[in-house]
Amino acid sequence: MFELFISNPLVLMMIEVLVICIKVVVVTLVVFSLPLPLTYIERKVAGHIQVRLGPYRVGPHGILQPLADMIKLIFKEDIIPYKADPWLFKIAPIIAMVPAFAVFATIPFGEKVTIPFIDKEVTLYISDMDTGILYVLAIAGLSVYGIILGGWASNSKYALLGGLRSSAQMISYELALSFACIGVVMVVNSLSLVDIVRAQSGWHWNILYQPLGFVIFAIAGLAEINRIPFDLPEDEGTLGAGYHAEYSSMRFAFFMLTEYVAMVSMSVLMVILFFGGWDGPGFLPGIVWFLIKVAFIIYVIIWTRFTYPRYRYDQLMTIGWKILLPLSLLNILITGLVVI
Amino acid sequence: MTEQIFFFIFAALAVGSAIAVVSLRNPVHSVISLMVCFLQMAALFVLLRSPFIAVVQVFVYVGAVLVLFLFVIMMLDIHKASMERFVSGGQLGVIGLLVVLVIEMVLIVSKSKLAGISVASVTHLDGSVREIGEALFTKYILPFEVVSFILLVALLGAIVMGRKEVK
């Protein structure tokens, strides 16, 4: 009776749909809650780099600090400035947040695993698209809208300047970022992220074949997620706070959340493209290697933030257009000559 | 069946946002509606089994072209722009233009070669990146090169026109 029920095509389809829904919910929840520990880690790392303790009061070693911050942000008053565009002001943080999460639809976290008890094979990615890397780059490029619209809708000169800066910056560095990915695609001969990881198995990591591409990707990636030394959109020295100067309460928290999620997705992308994804020595399961690599890259990004000063705006544009872009074209040329 | 439901959702949203583009007073709101419209079109391309075209649509139009639109519009005086009429010459002219366009659309859809092609007749293409790449670099190599040359000329033209005269 049960066998018959399980082999019914309609039931099989329902199970497939259910599995995808569960995966989407799990990934979203995990990504949504990641910024909580990340803010704590960032402040602790900052503290220790600057020879102080960082958060220490709430809970042992300040471990409950993110929760306290969250409660504070929820209960703060949500202020909408007089003369702001109220409709855009309200939806801008959500427009910023959606693409940051949508990126994870194609991100592969590991190979197939078999779930015990029901004996069903489940892939550790939501979808393996034929155009995976293009999808990720295209969707990641959309997150600029939240920043521009938030800056414009605030009707404040500092926020507007922050929004303008960020749109110019993200468009400039998106080119170098995409071109750095083309080198990887040429080596691997596929656009699918799963294929890219599989091609690197057995220590054939792309960083060995694409060192120049990796350097370009790392620098452009930092600029794309607005991290120091490229965080001009929120340059507090000249802009007050930047594009989110007028935001408060949960809308401000959504912008912060987006930034952390973007940092995670950029680290994940870097691991998949250049560090072999879940490839590693066999004594640990693949997904553990994957998470270790991602955690290390996130740590390096935080480390960078408290080590380097910020670039000036004209320097930022010079690096993007006159150095990174020609270098990435050169990288494609070299890769083309070697591969063919 | 499910596909049809999704098609109607995307199509309705696309048409609705396209109407919003021309009817909203605030240019920034119009750009947002245009973005929604383009995203729905990308979704329709996915339904037509061409994910590559869909991604390129998002990449080029939503990710680059519209951001530049916003960039320029944000520098304008929005209040002045939203007070001005889009089309001068009264409503009669607009209605006349609308009628001509509708007749043209109906004629194109019903009389042209495109009308005979059903979706089922082109399913031998799976719209994969490999297939599109092969088609572009073998069968359509001449149009492809001509288009890239025109783009290069346009790029150079923009640089020449934007450059300040150096004496």
Side-chain angles (χ1 to χ4, degrees):
Chain A
M1 184 65 198
F2 184 68
E3 294 294 319
L4 202 70
F5 176 73
I6 273 291
S7 57
N8 187 332
L10 193 71
V11 173
L12 278 178
M13 203 188 81
M14 294 284 279
I15 291 177
E16 284 300 313
V17 171
L18 196 70
V19 166
I20 290 178
C21 289
I22 292 173
K23 279 198 272 192
V24 169
V25 170
V26 168
V27 169
T28 311
L29 282 181
V30 168
V31 173
F32 206 87
S33 54
L34 264 181
L36 278 183
L38 279 178
T39 50
Y40 175 73
I41 292 167
E42 176 145 31
R43 291 166 76 176
K44 269 294 188 200
V45 171
H48 286 284
I49 284 176
Q50 295 162 352
V51 204
R52 51 191 180 83
L53 287 170
Y56 212 83
R57 293 293 170 89
V58 193
H61 284 260
I63 196 128
L64 296 178
Q65 185 68 44
L67 282 178
D69 283 344
M70 198 181 72
I71 293 168
K72 180 197 79 172
L73 280 170
I74 290 173
F75 283 102
K76 273 180 106 170
E77 188 186 351
D78 181 19
I79 298 164
I80 297 176
Y82 176 65
K83 279 195 172 174
D85 187 319
W87 184 66
L88 276 181
F89 189 84
K90 281 178 195 159
I91 64 166
I94 297 159
I95 294 182
M97 208 164 61
V98 170
F101 282 90
V103 163
F104 284 87
T106 51
I107 300 277
F109 299 96
E111 283 286 353
K112 283 178 184 147
V113 289
T114 313
I115 294 180
F117 304 119
I118 56 169
D119 202 33
K120 182 165 168 47
E121 278 208 329
V122 176
T123 51
L124 282 181
Y125 40 84
I126 295 172
S127 119
D128 175 22
M129 271 193 229
D130 186 31
T131 51
I133 177 115
L134 278 178
Y135 169 85
V136 170
L137 290 174
I139 298 293
L142 298 188
S143 56
V144 68
Y145 277 102
I147 296 177
I148 304 182
L149 293 175
W152 182 81
S154 305
N155 204 356
S156 138
K157 49 184 172 293
Y158 298 123
L160 180 64
L161 280 173
L164 282 177
R165 278 185 180 186
S166 85
S167 56
Q169 173 180 338
M170 287 175 103
I171 286 214
S172 311
Y173 280 80
E174 219 176 305
L175 284 173
L177 192 78
S178 313
F179 281 171
C181 295
I182 291 179
V184 173
V185 171
M186 284 165 84
V187 170
V188 173
N189 226 338
S190 170
L191 286 171
S192 149
L193 289 175
V194 178
D195 285 350
I196 288 176
V197 174
R198 279 186 194 143
Q200 299 177 66
S201 65
W203 298 103
H204 291 293
W205 293 3
N206 275 333
I207 186 170
L208 303 175
Y209 302 98
Q210 289 281 321
L212 183 59
F214 170 70
V215 172
I216 296 164
F217 187 89
I219 297 174
L222 273 182
E224 196 67 12
I225 56 176
N226 294 327
R227 297 287 299 193
I228 277 184
F230 303 105
D231 66 337
L232 271 297
E234 40 191 301
D235 176 0
E236 65 268 16
T238 54
L239 289 181
Y243 65 90
H244 52 57
E246 304 292 338
Y247 278 89
S248 58
S249 185
M250 277 319 276
R251 294 187 204 286
F252 173 76
F254 282 165
F255 274 127
M256 286 290 107
L257 196 80
T258 310
E259 273 187 20
Y260 280 105
V261 173
M263 184 166 91
V264 173
S265 57
M266 196 52 76
S267 316
V268 165
L269 209 56
M270 210 181 277
V271 168
I272 287 172
L273 290 178
F274 293 99
F275 291 98
W278 52 82
D279 181 43
F283 57 87
L284 281 175
I287 184 140
V288 177
W289 280 116
F290 186 79
L291 293 178
I292 290 174
K293 289 175 195 171
V294 172
F296 178 73
I297 288 180
I298 289 177
Y299 174 72
V300 171
I301 292 176
I302 294 175
W303 182 6
T304 318
R305 172 169 175 187
F306 297 102
T307 311
Y308 289 103
R310 184 182 290 128
Y311 280 110
R312 236 176 30 232
Y313 195 67
D314 58 315
Q315 292 172 327
L316 176 95
M317 283 295 150
T318 310
I319 294 170
W321 288 101
K322 293 186 184 164
I323 300 173
L324 283 185
L325 195 61
L327 269 183
S328 58
L329 287 172
L330 183 73
N331 183 45
I332 292 174
L333 182 71
I334 295 171
T335 314
L337 290 176
V338 174
V339 167
I340 295 164
Chain B
M1 178 60 199
T2 9
E3 226 165 87
Q4 224 161 21
I5 296 172
F6 277 111
F7 171 78
F8 282 119
I9 295 173
F10 295 141
L13 271 173
V15 173
S17 55
I19 292 172
V21 173
V22 289
S23 57
L24 284 175
R25 284 265 164 200
N26 188 328
V28 175
H29 292 180
S30 292
V31 173
I32 304 300
S33 313
L34 197 58
M35 180 183 94
V36 174
C37 184
F38 282 163
L39 285 176
Q40 302 311 314
M41 275 161 67
L44 288 178
F45 281 127
V46 172
L47 283 187
L48 287 172
R49 306 280 187 284
S50 28
F52 180 73
I53 308 286
V55 170
V56 168
Q57 165 95 9
V58 175
F59 216 137
V60 175
Y61 282 97
V62 188
V65 174
L66 279 186
V67 175
L68 292 178
F69 272 26
L70 263 185
F71 197 82
V72 173
I73 286 174
M74 285 198 305
M75 311 240 196
L76 298 176
D77 186 354
I78 292 294
H79 292 289
K80 189 162 157 263
S82 53
M83 295 313 264
E84 276 172 7
R85 294 183 71 96
F86 288 131
V87 188
S88 52
Q91 287 176 341
L92 211 64
V94 176
I95 292 169
L97 191 68
L98 198 68
V99 170
V100 169
L101 281 176
V102 167
I103 292 170
E104 210 174 48
M105 282 278 279
V106 170
L107 281 179
I108 286 173
V109 170
S110 60
K111 296 287 178 197
S112 77
K113 282 187 206 162
L114 285 170
I117 300 174
S118 68
V119 178
S121 68
V122 288
T123 41
H124 62 276
L125 292 168
D126 59 356
S128 73
V129 183
R130 187 175 299 275
E131 216 161 51
I132 290 172
E134 267 168 17
L136 274 183
F137 282 100
T138 53
K139 199 175 167 191
Y140 301 104
I141 182 75
L142 184 69
F144 181 72
E145 289 298 328
V146 169
V147 165
S148 55
F149 191 71
I150 292 172
L151 281 175
L152 182 68
V153 170
L155 192 71
L156 288 178
I159 293 171
V160 168
M161 282 195 277
R163 208 169 60 119
K164 283 200 190 93
E165 223 27 76
V166 184
K167 291 274 165 66

